[in-house]
Amino acid sequence: ARRASVGGLQRLVALALQKDLAWLHKDLRALTQFAPLLEKFCTVEELYDTAFANLQRHLLPSEGLPALSEAHFHAAVEESRNRLPGLAAKLKDHVGTILKVRQEILRRSGPVTTPKGTRAQTLSDLKQLGAAPAAHLPANPWTEALAALLPPNFLEVIPFAQLVHLPRYLKALRIRIERATLNPVKDQDRARLLAPYQETLRKFATPLSAPPETRPQIEVFRWMVEEYKVSLFAQELGTAFPISPKRLDEQRQRL
């Protein structure tokens, strides 16, 4: 009942903000300028649709009201409305930066290839943080890592608040590629430090392996692993918060 109530509240707030959301939808048409960066990745319409869905999830309440009262409802509407100014422009900036860094990685590693008629897998259930399915392995491990971090529907599966960090994660991958070319042994040594935490993510990506209540903690661990990659392979980029094997082990124990 609590989960259903949240969905109902979101729908009611969306109805109250119908005109505002219509303008937001229109403002996102600016994403069409990134069409040249989307070749063999996704269509402009897919980017546009998932962008609007991403911002709606960011805007609308994620929890139920303290009490079912008119005052609390109006407060929820105003809180969502206050998040609207400049939101489309912020998302456009994030997406532009992300797609440009993606292109830089592709120039160094080659395009991601998926057989015709096969829908690319996503990170919605963290299922691509391990090895890609044998049926459509990317051309090399770098494009595999890129596809795992940035699937075609990334705006559908990565929350708005996390988008600001994606360029740094992508740059860390680009730097890793460059350094692994010069010193593959050192890269393999660091990859071994990362492997146990990747394996934990694979474990929790298994269907029914974790109840819904644990999903937020799995997400926390997921982004901790990305920060750990930055610290291992591109330390000069800095991390969003202190990260270490000890902190990862503590979060893994919670899971």
Side-chain angles (χ1 to χ4, degrees), residues 14 39 61 65 71 80 96 117 158 162 170-171 173 229 240:
E39 186 179 1
L65 298 176
S80 293
I158 298 176
Q162 197 64 32
L170 289 165
K171 289 175 184 177
L173 176 58
K229 290 179 186 177

Side-chain angles (χ1 to χ4, degrees), residues 116-229:
K116 187 176 181 180
T118 303
R119 177 180 170 84
Q121 286 196 330
T122 72
L123 279 172
S124 56
D125 291 318
L126 308 181
K127 291 178 182 176
Q128 276 207 333
L129 289 169
H136 49 90
L137 281 171
N140 59 56
W142 303 129
T143 54
E144 178 182 328
L146 176 60
L149 179 57
L150 197 72
N153 66 338
F154 70 100
L155 289 175
E156 184 180 330
V157 297
I158 298 176
F160 176 81
Q162 197 64 32
L163 294 177
V164 67
H165 300 293
L166 273 202
R168 186 163 46 85
Y169 300 153
L170 289 165
K171 289 175 184 177
L173 176 58
R174 184 194 66 199
I175 291 171
R176 181 185 179 185
I177 294 170
E178 295 168 351
R179 291 176 176 170
T181 302
L182 298 173
N183 193 337
V185 174
K186 188 174 183 179
D187 180 78
Q188 291 167 10
D189 288 343
R190 293 181 176 179
R192 278 191 284 271
L193 298 176
L194 178 66
Y197 307 113
Q198 295 277 52
E199 179 58 33
T200 296
L201 285 175
R202 279 192 288 270
K203 173 185 175 183
F204 281 96
T206 304
L208 304 180
S209 65
E213 292 78 7
T214 67
R215 301 306 294 179
Q217 290 301 317
I218 296 173
E219 282 291 303
V220 168
F221 188 69
R222 170 190 175 185
W223 300 118
M224 289 178 71
V225 170
E226 290 301 329
E227 295 292 343
Y228 187 49
K229 290 179 186 177

Side-chain angles (χ1 to χ4, degrees), residues 6 22 45 54 75 90 103 110 117 119 151 171 212 214 223 228 242-243 247:
V6 172
E45 284 302 318
N54 182 289
K90 289 178 183 177
Q103 285 295 311
R119 177 180 170 84
K171 289 175 184 177
T214 67
W223 300 118
Y228 187 49
I243 191 68
R247 291 174 186 267

Side-chain angles (χ1 to χ4, degrees), residues 3 12 21 41 45 54 69 81 96 159 196 207:
R3 286 195 295 269
L12 290 171
L21 291 176
F41 185 53
E45 284 302 318
N54 182 289
S69 69
R81 181 177 279 119

Side-chain angles (χ1 to χ4, degrees), residues 18-142:
Q18 197 166 8
K19 292 183 179 179
D20 302 272
L21 291 176
W23 280 109
L24 179 67
H25 199 261
K26 184 178 179 181
D27 290 342
L28 287 173
R29 281 294 175 187
L31 293 172
T32 57
Q33 71 185 75
F34 300 127
L37 301 175
L38 299 177
E39 186 179 1
K40 296 182 181 179
F41 185 53
C42 69
T43 67
V44 172
E45 284 302 318
E46 288 169 340
L47 182 70
Y48 178 60
D49 291 342
T50 55
F52 184 63
N54 182 289
L55 292 187
Q56 279 203 109
R57 286 194 303 274
H58 176 67
L59 285 169
L60 300 179
S62 59
E63 298 179 354
L65 298 176
L68 296 179
S69 69
E70 184 178 9
H72 284 303
F73 175 71
H74 285 308
V77 171
E78 286 308 307
E79 184 178 351
S80 293
R81 181 177 279 119
N82 291 336
R83 294 178 184 173
L84 274 165
L87 196 58
K90 289 178 183 177
L91 184 132
K92 182 175 75 68
D93 290 344
H94 290 329
V95 169
T97 302
I98 288 166
L99 293 177
K100 288 172 185 175
V101 181
R102 177 180 176 273
Q103 285 295 311
E104 293 175 10
I105 294 173
L106 289 176
R107 281 195 289 268
R108 288 168 170 79
S109 59
V112 179
T113 56
T114 304
K116 187 176 181 180
T118 303
R119 177 180 170 84
Q121 286 196 330
T122 72
L123 279 172
S124 56
D125 291 318
L126 308 181
K127 291 178 182 176
Q128 276 207 333
L129 289 169
H136 49 90
L137 281 171
N140 59 56
W142 303 129

